[in-house]
Amino acid sequence: MAMSLPMSSEATPDHFRFAGLRRLAKLLFGTPLNAALTLLFGALLFVTMPPMLRWLVIDAVLFDPDPNACRAATGACWSFIYAKSGQLLFGIYPFDERWRPAIVCLLILALLGWSVRPASWTSRLLALWVAAFALIFWLMGGGFGLAEVPTSSWGGLPVTLILTVVAIGIAFPVGILLALARRSTLPAVRVGAVVLIESVRGLPLLSILFVASIMMPLFLPEALLPDKFVRALVALTIFAAAYLAEAIRGGLQAIPNGQYEAAASLGLPFWRTQRLVILPQAIRVVIPALANTIIVMIKNTSLVLVIGLFDLISSGKAALADPEWPSPAAETFLFIGAIFFALSFSFARFADFLERRGPAAH
């Protein structure tokens, strides 16, 4: 008959609780510097948090649709965000058709959520994204039973999501090809890749956007000229591809020659060697650099406002121009900033997951 042994005093819940408290105390006050920083940060929170909470929540106007309530309030005017949510999220898209960009946003976010699952990383995922974007551009642009809406009337969150996903999705394989071309033994291929990468990286994104928006119409006939949205998308893709190419090239240089020799001894041709042996290792090495570049590109989509596209920031500025409201700029840009933070933070956590999973997968 099995006998139950009494729990050791060293394994009681109180022991684990006190051990955790001791570790926390050591972390916060283990050294004089840590203790000073903890006390300084605590004092800063004590001074700043009460007025911040009063402005954000206690004295704030939450859902009152009356603009005069915001004028009389001493706190934040969140009712402006509530009343203008459609314009903030969808910009100048026709009011009666805003269900279409709403579906587009949900579809893109759902696909992004689906794509981060390792179980979904099959050849069918690319086909799913291609079909989804055919549906997305039909919903946004119209035609075939839907009212046509030109890209000049697109705005808000759908523009930000479409520019981000399409630019990064196309730039990543292009960046891989550019990185391989820059390391090629063929002089013409290598020099062409170097010139393209260094030319793009040597220019600010704003100048590339201006070239795509202003200079291209001077050199192309109107029949061949894509609209402003497509030109901005091409500029963002080229810019992202150049930076991703340099990050991937760093990973390729980190792979020892023995990996190439082992693949050659197995008789693998160049492209199979890259696909099966080299690139998986190289990309795993530079996941932090790739994640940093992609997060920067997520935020760089806001620069399209300078060429007249209505992204989230442009939609916020347009909403603030309403004379009936007291123009709560801080609340508006906090709301927009929260959206960009959610997108960037989510991708950063996904990159962290990939980095932790890498050695196990390898």
Side-chain angles (χ1 to χ4, degrees), residues 347-361:
F347 186 82
R349 296 283 66 79
F350 173 60
D352 186 56
F353 160 75
L354 290 179
E355 195 172 4
R356 292 196 310 270
R357 183 179 182 272

Side-chain angles (χ1 to χ4, degrees), residues 27-319:
L27 178 65
L28 296 178
F29 301 98
T31 65
L33 178 60
N34 282 357
L37 291 175
T38 299
L39 293 174
L40 179 63
F41 186 69
L44 183 64
L45 289 178
F46 181 78
V47 172
T48 59
M49 287 302 294
M52 187 178 299
L53 286 175
R54 283 198 301 270
W55 185 81
L56 287 172
V57 180
I58 299 173
D59 297 333
V61 180
L62 298 178
F63 302 109
D64 194 335
D66 185 8
N68 293 321
C70 284
R71 292 189 176 92
T74 58
C77 179
W78 299 119
S79 60
F80 175 82
I81 305 299
Y82 176 73
K84 295 288 186 179
S85 58
Q87 185 174 0
L88 289 171
L89 291 175
F90 307 126
I92 57 175
Y93 205 89
F95 181 82
D96 294 335
E97 303 291 332
R98 283 181 179 172
W99 60 271
R100 291 155 56 179
I103 293 176
V104 165
C105 292
L106 292 175
L107 180 58
I108 293 176
L109 294 175
L111 281 172
L112 289 173
W114 175 265
S115 301
V116 301
R117 300 168 57 253
S120 67
W121 298 345
T122 64
S123 58
R124 290 177 294 182
L125 184 61
L126 177 60
L128 178 62
W129 272 104
V130 171
F133 264 95
L135 176 61
I136 285 167
F137 280 102
W138 171 63
L139 284 171
M140 291 294 293
F144 301 103
L146 293 178
E148 293 190 5
V149 179
T151 55
S152 59
S153 296
W154 297 9
L157 184 59
V159 167
T160 297
L161 291 176
I162 292 172
L163 289 175
T164 299
V165 173
V166 175
I168 293 173
I170 297 176
F172 188 74
V174 173
I176 291 176
L177 293 177
L178 287 173
L180 294 174
R182 185 159 186 171
R183 288 173 53 84
S184 173
T185 56
L186 300 175
V189 174
R190 184 176 64 254
V191 170
V194 169
V195 170
L196 176 60
I197 292 171
E198 296 303 327
S199 298
V200 173
R201 292 177 72 241
L203 294 173
L205 178 56
L206 279 177
S207 64
I208 298 176
L209 287 171
F210 274 120
V211 168
S213 177
I214 299 173
M215 299 299 294
M216 281 184 65
L218 301 178
F219 298 102
L220 290 178
E222 189 173 352
L224 299 177
L225 186 67
D227 65 19
K228 189 179 294 186
F229 183 86
V230 176
R231 299 201 300 270
L233 185 57
V234 171
L236 288 170
T237 301
I238 294 173
F239 188 82
Y243 277 86
L244 290 173
E246 283 299 278
I248 294 168
R249 185 171 69 92
L252 292 173
Q253 290 178 334
I255 305 302
N257 289 331
Q259 297 293 314
Y260 294 92
E261 295 169 358
S265 67
L266 294 174
L268 294 179
F270 174 80
W271 288 109
R272 291 196 68 189
T273 298
Q274 296 297 329
R275 183 172 63 89
L276 299 177
V277 179
I278 304 302
L279 283 174
Q281 298 180 70
I283 291 173
R284 187 176 298 127
V285 168
V286 295
I287 284 176
L290 292 175
N292 181 65
T293 301
I294 292 173
I295 289 172
V296 169
M297 286 305 303
I298 292 173
K299 295 179 287 187
N300 277 347
T301 57
S302 62
L303 295 178
V304 298
L305 66 91
V306 302
I307 60 173
L309 292 181
F310 268 75
D311 71 319
L312 274 170
I313 295 179
S314 301
S315 300
K317 289 183 176 181

